[in-house]
Amino acid sequence: WALLIYQRHNNTFYYLDSAGTYNLTYAQAFANKIYPYIDPESKKKVVTESNDEKQNQGQTMDYVKVLKNFVQLQVPQQSNSYDCGMYVIEFTKFVATYYLEQLKVAKQKSSSSSIIIT
């Protein structure tokens, strides 16, 4: 198991895998498959002569390679072949907690800047 996160504001996929690169090719293939649905304008952004030729030949576009929007994060590695699910749960928990904390900070900043002292 591995975790793939897409961050819309910076148009980037983040790959977290406690088994190193074991699932990397599957994650990249999945990112390429869903990217046109995430960003329908993507086909217009990366069209080149070579890509037009690939599309004419029925091959799929490698958005990950062309856009360079796939980041493999360094994460703790498992020492066996069966703890991957627990690592994915912990990675997910860490990411969710981080974003919740960032949201709280952003709300505090916006509420403190709207206070008017007379």
Side-chain angles (χ1 to χ4, degrees):
W1 296 15
L3 180 62
L4 184 65
I5 299 169
Y6 176 73
Q7 215 171 26
R8 184 178 294 178
H9 77 273
N10 64 355
N11 190 36
T12 303
F13 289 95
Y14 294 94
Y15 172 73
L16 298 85
D17 190 351
S18 63
T21 59
Y22 185 76
N23 298 294
L24 181 61
T25 55
Y26 300 108
Q28 289 174 330
F30 181 71
N32 278 321
K33 190 151 192 109
I34 65 170
Y35 191 72
Y37 301 100
I38 293 172
D39 184 9
E41 297 294 315
S42 61
K43 289 183 181 180
K44 295 176 186 175
K45 292 179 188 173
V46 294
V47 171
T48 63
E49 289 180 21
S50 63
N51 289 336
D52 285 340
E53 290 173 14
K54 282 184 178 181
Q55 289 175 352
N56 291 338
Q57 296 170 0
Q59 297 176 358
T60 58
M61 167 83 86
D62 189 348
Y63 295 102
V64 169
K65 189 173 184 180
V66 174
L67 297 174
K68 298 178 183 165
N69 66 344
F70 192 96
V71 178
Q72 183 178 351
L73 299 177
Q74 291 184 355
V75 295
Q77 298 294 292
Q78 64 191 66
S79 59
N80 55 42
S81 62
Y82 50 84
D83 280 341
C84 51
M86 295 306 297
Y87 276 86
V88 168
I89 290 169
E90 287 299 315
F91 296 157
T92 304
K93 181 179 172 184
F94 176 81
V95 170
T97 301
Y98 173 80
Y99 279 105
L100 286 173
E101 289 173 3
Q102 294 301 312
L103 184 60
K104 286 179 187 177
V105 169
K107 284 184 178 182
Q108 288 173 350
K109 284 182 181 179
S110 67
S111 65
S112 65
S113 65
S114 62
I115 297 174
I116 301 173
I117 301 175
T118 56

